[in-house]
Amino acid sequence: MITDPIADYLTRVRNAIMASHRVVEIPASKITKEMTKILFDQGYILSYKFDDASFQGTIKIALKYDKATKASVIKKLQRISTPGLRRYVSANEMPRVLNGLGIAIVSTSRGVMTNKQAREEHVGGEVLCYVY
């Protein structure tokens, strides 16, 4: 049983990047599927596939690396809101990650989205993580 599936998701991706793996397999949940879609839309991962063969299902993520330097596109994944200390922000206080170069993934009442989308739609929510 995993107490924090978001932290587990981020740790598995982080470990796969450190080991220079091409593909990482992660247990699926609704929120991790939405986070994967955001990472793909923002260009941080190459592709993904949802495999619903088992009860819970899995997510297979193909990680993206720079062709010249072989460095990962994702430099850092940082968990912000934890089960012990939730971090909520309003639309006016939405964080800017690396002065706009990175993204914050935010869980709002209108679904999981980036900090830029939340600011445009003028909704606040729980800041899940920073990606850059």
Side-chain angles (χ1 to χ4, degrees):
M1 184 176 120
I2 301 171
T3 56
D4 189 5
I6 298 167
D8 181 59
Y9 175 91
L10 297 174
T11 301
R12 285 179 190 239
V13 172
R14 198 179 303 119
N15 289 343
I17 289 170
M18 295 294 284
S20 299
H21 288 210
R22 294 283 175 208
V23 178
V24 61
E25 193 168 322
I26 301 167
S29 69
K30 289 180 184 178
I31 198 154
T32 56
K33 285 181 180 180
E34 292 301 317
M35 288 174 61
T36 304
K37 290 176 186 174
I38 288 173
L39 290 177
F40 178 72
D41 292 340
Q42 297 296 319
Y44 287 105
I45 59 175
L46 202 57
S47 64
Y48 63 91
K49 180 183 175 190
F50 299 139
D51 185 18
D52 296 326
S54 65
F55 172 73
Q56 184 178 8
T58 58
I59 305 169
K60 289 186 180 180
I61 299 174
L63 300 172
K64 194 175 191 179
Y65 294 95
D66 186 21
K67 292 188 188 299
T69 62
K70 305 280 192 245
S72 174
V73 173
I74 299 173
K75 302 297 178 217
K76 189 165 186 177
L77 292 165
Q78 184 180 4
R79 180 79 159 116
I80 302 301
S81 184
T82 61
L85 181 61
R86 301 287 185 187
R87 305 280 181 167
Y88 295 99
V89 294
S90 66
N92 300 333
E93 301 166 346
M94 201 55 66
R96 288 175 50 108
V97 182
L98 275 182
N99 207 16
L101 295 176
I103 62 167
I105 299 178
V106 183
S107 177
T108 68
S109 58
R110 296 187 190 160
V112 180
M113 58 182 71
T114 66
N115 56 336
K116 296 167 190 166
Q117 292 169 328
R119 197 177 295 118
E120 287 172 5
E121 294 188 22
H122 202 69
V123 292
E126 181 182 358
V127 180
L128 300 177
C129 63
Y130 292 160
V131 182
Y132 53 93

